Amino acid sequence: MSAEPRHSPGGSPPSRRPPAFDLVLFGGTGDLAMRKLLPALYRRHLAGLVEPGSRIIGIARTDHSTAAYVALAEAACRQHLGDDFRADAWPAFAATLGYARLDATRAADYAALGALLGDRGEVTRLFFLSTAPDLFAAICGHLAAAGIVTADSRIMLEKPLGEDAPSARRINETVGAIASERQIYRIDHYLGKETVQNLLALRFGNALFEPLWRRGQIRHVQITVAEQLGVELRGEFYDRTGALRDMVQNHLLQLLCILAMEPPATSAADAVRDEKLKVLRALRPIAEADALLKTVRGQYRGGVIGATKAAAYLEEPGVAADSRTETFVAIKAEIDTWRWAGVPFYLRTGKRLPEHVAEIVVTFDQVPHSIFEGPFSSQPPNRLVIRLQPDECITLRILAKSPGEAMRLKPVDLALDLGESFKGRPLEAYERLLGDAIQGNLTLFMRRDEVDAAWRWIDPIRAAWDLDDDGPRPYAAGSWGPAAASALIARDGFAWHGEL
Ligand code: NAP
């Protein structure tokens, strides 16, 4: 491990220029490529971070000329970058774009890709698999058979990485057969968010928090990722997946790991990932008998969000009329370590909730004894709110004396608006993650054993739900989920942030 370079969690040192690369983008015409990946690469180009000589090669089955592909990419970048799109810089970026028609399942199609890639010596080669995961095995097998994966090639994988521990293992074995772990970049785009890395900065860059970051000082932690959107055009996919697999197994557990891990010795990828893995392994399993007490699942019915009417989940296109898929999950998680014994971590995520918000709320213990007038309970505890979206800010609630004769305490917020404090545009998650992969920094990517440990914690919850005849509890679109979610946390004497 000592041989591992010490990258900053946010990427390689700025002094080092990123290498020229060949990025082969399987699923190059898909929604993710058009909405996120190509705009992120164009932003890197605008920032001068795409080395001359780099190539981005879109791959899909449909026949497109390179010119037609460039036109698709330009339209997507214009649409998704808005005012940040710079027409004058486009031609140089367009010159890096290419397209190859290839059916991922046809071995014969890979020879042409091999010829296109050729032998470009020092150029870093990346394969981004932005296709349905059932194509991963074919892609990996055919790439290897065609001799295209070099010892330094990198393979980037989008979620979902399986639907349970066995299927994730199969994917990991497939990819592991053609590349070593240091070549595999498993994406959880939450880890690419600036505020998530700020969490690392907050915890490990300041002496202030570490002594408080434990039982005896922290009472409980909440992690909420709420969406206003329903399933949109992904009904069929979502109905097979549900919120537990789509959100909790990856995004919420990754946030929990960053919050709860021990300080790593360095910011090197494996130092950080070793500590995250320990958290996942210390999560107390939720056995069948506990599942109904410690978890709540819900499914939205029709309702109103803002002023807009929203249809019920069961009326969404692609969703089975009798579906029992959950669109909302709340879980009480417990971490069996000295640091966290007795400190509950409440996780909550759902669709068709009243707000689009992702936030972490750390509630500290109350002072042990009040010297001030008024009921003790009127002195709310300190609270740290780390908001990841829509805006990125960190707020610490403290108590201060309100002006006047009487010694009355009132909560006030110390608020750090990261957008205001640091002028300059924050990197988008995919912009960061693509840059890190190009530069060989694995810190913000999930290691195989992390993915496996996360599924091992999730699978028994899923299995317990499958045995429960009642199915998910209904909630109105535009509400904060089923009442049982409030009861879950109220049983411990707490309330969800914003519900007080
Ligand atoms: P998509 O819009 O359905 O695009 C699929 C892409 O794969 C298209 O370019 C398609 O083009 C290509 N493709 C399909 N079959 C192929 C084959 N046999 N050989 C070569 N290319 C083939 O999917 P997406 O939304 O971009 O999602 C891609 C992956 O990322 C999925 O696993 C998804 O779950 C995951 N993901 C997506 C998002 C998102 O926001 N969209 C977010 C997170 C994760 P042709 O039909 O022309 O072949």
Side-chain angles (χ1 to χ4, degrees):
M1 216 155 1
S2 56
E4 209 180 339
R6 282 192 183 208
H7 294 300
S8 77
S12 296
S15 54
R16 183 145 38 102
R17 289 218 40 99
F21 61 85
D22 277 344
L23 173 63
V24 179
L25 185 48
F26 284 90
T29 58
D31 176 67
L32 185 67
M34 290 294 157
R35 225 161 32 84
K36 296 285 183 190
L37 306 180
L38 290 167
L41 287 161
Y42 182 52
R43 278 189 190 277
R44 289 189 62 78
H45 167 74
L46 291 178
L49 295 173
V50 173
E51 266 306 276
S54 297
R55 296 187 298 177
I56 299 159
I57 303 165
I59 301 272
R61 290 166 303 180
T62 308
D63 212 359
H64 292 292
S65 65
T66 293
Y69 185 63
V70 168
L72 282 178
E74 181 177 353
C77 288
R78 280 183 186 276
Q79 181 186 350
H80 297 294
L81 296 182
D83 291 344
D84 288 346
F85 184 86
R86 274 189 29 215
D88 58 326
W90 179 257
F93 181 70
T96 67
L97 292 174
Y99 181 78
R101 199 196 59 74
L102 176 152
D103 183 340
T105 61
R106 278 173 44 94
D109 287 3
Y110 287 75
L113 178 61
L116 181 63
L117 289 172
D119 179 1
R120 304 223 298 146
E122 295 289 284
V123 169
T124 300
R125 187 174 289 181
L126 299 105
F127 299 97
F128 195 125
L129 275 46
S130 177
T131 65
D134 55 14
L135 288 177
F136 288 0
I139 295 174
C140 289
H142 295 321
L143 282 176
I148 304 177
V149 184
T150 60
D152 293 325
S153 293
R154 290 158 203 173
I155 303 195
M156 301 183 73
L157 301 175
E158 247 308 332
K159 76 163 199 181
L161 289 170
E163 56 186 32
D164 53 17
S167 56
R169 200 173 308 128
R170 282 195 295 277
I171 290 176
N172 283 324
E173 276 166 8
T174 300
V175 184
I178 66 159
S180 64
E181 186 60 30
R182 69 173 176 79
Q183 296 174 270
I184 302 173
Y185 292 72
R186 296 179 191 83
I187 293 180
D188 185 321
H189 74 268
Y190 266 58
L191 293 181
K193 286 181 185 285
E194 199 88 336
T195 330
V196 175
Q197 291 147 66
N198 245 308
L199 205 50
L200 291 169
L202 189 80
R203 283 198 60 196
F204 306 124
N206 297 287
L208 192 64
F209 292 106
E210 175 52 22
L212 304 177
W213 212 256
R214 60 192 63 246
R215 70 189 300 271
Q217 306 291 340
I218 290 179
R219 191 69 204 87
H220 65 99
V221 178
Q222 298 179 14
I223 303 175
T224 295
V225 178
E227 296 176 278
Q228 283 185 322
L229 291 177
V231 293
E232 309 304 300
L233 300 173
R234 296 168 70 220
E236 210 177 305
F237 162 79
Y238 195 87
D239 207 35
R240 280 183 275 119
T241 308
L244 185 69
R245 291 177 175 133
D246 192 41
M247 298 297 290
V248 181
Q249 186 273 342
N250 36 62
H251 306 322
L252 276 85
L253 286 187
Q254 285 294 319
L255 293 178
L256 178 136
C257 285
I258 298 221
L259 273 171
M261 70 184 184
E262 294 298 318
T266 70
S267 62
D270 277 334
V272 173
R273 300 190 303 178
D274 285 346
E275 297 307 335
K276 282 163 57 197
L277 178 65
K278 285 183 206 162
V279 175
L280 290 166
R281 289 189 170 158
L283 277 171
R284 187 178 303 171
I286 297 186
E288 191 190 327
D290 295 333
L292 299 184
L293 206 62
K294 292 187 179 171
T295 73
V296 172
R297 59 189 163 136
Q299 189 186 75
Y300 60 82
R301 300 292 183 254
V304 177
I305 301 184
T308 313
K309 272 182 81 172
Y313 177 69
L314 296 179
E315 291 163 18
E316 302 273 18
V319 171
D322 58 351
S323 172
R324 288 162 53 99
T325 299
E326 77 287 353
T327 60
F328 174 95
V329 182
I331 301 181
K332 175 182 176 180
E334 291 158 289
I335 303 171
D336 287 332
T337 60
W338 276 37
R339 186 186 284 267
W340 294 118
V343 180
F345 284 70
Y346 301 101
L347 315 179
R348 174 175 65 157
T349 184
K351 289 192 173 291
R352 289 288 187 224
L353 299 185
E355 284 178 52
H356 168 62
V357 66
E359 70 179 15
I360 293 161
V361 180
V362 179
T363 302
F364 292 89
D365 272 318
Q366 279 197 299
V367 293
H369 162 73
S370 174
I371 63 167
F372 303 109
E373 280 175 27
F376 193 37
S377 57
S378 68
Q379 294 177 19
N382 297 127
R383 196 159 60 191
L384 182 68
V385 180
I386 301 152
R387 195 171 256 240
L388 313 177
Q389 61 188 34
D391 44 339
E392 304 203 3
C393 57
I394 299 174
T395 309
L396 180 62
R397 183 177 71 183
I398 60 166
L399 293 186
K401 180 188 167 299
S402 70
E405 241 176 70
M407 186 63 182
R408 283 218 188 84
L409 301 191
K410 282 269 171 63
V412 282
D413 285 343
L414 293 176
L416 170 64
D417 181 328
L418 295 164
E420 278 296 306
S421 305
F422 299 105
K423 301 293 178 205
R425 187 184 62 78
L427 290 188
E428 297 286 333
Y430 280 102
E431 206 179 334
R432 145 102 51 221
L433 295 174
L434 282 159
D436 280 2
I438 290 164
Q439 294 178 95
N441 182 2
L442 279 156
T443 306
L444 299 177
F445 297 88
M446 292 179 296
R447 208 168 55 191
R448 176 178 178 163
D449 45 11
E450 284 180 76
V451 176
D452 185 54
W455 279 120
R456 281 171 189 273
W457 188 71
I458 291 290
D459 285 350
I461 299 175
R462 182 82 254 161
W465 287 354
D466 287 343
L467 294 174
D468 172 30
D469 289 337
D470 286 345
R473 294 165 190 257
Y475 63 96
S479 72
W480 276 108
S486 303
L488 170 91
I489 189 167
R491 277 198 291 276
D492 295 335
F494 310 127
W496 292 106
H497 184 223
E499 272 193 354
L500 277 174

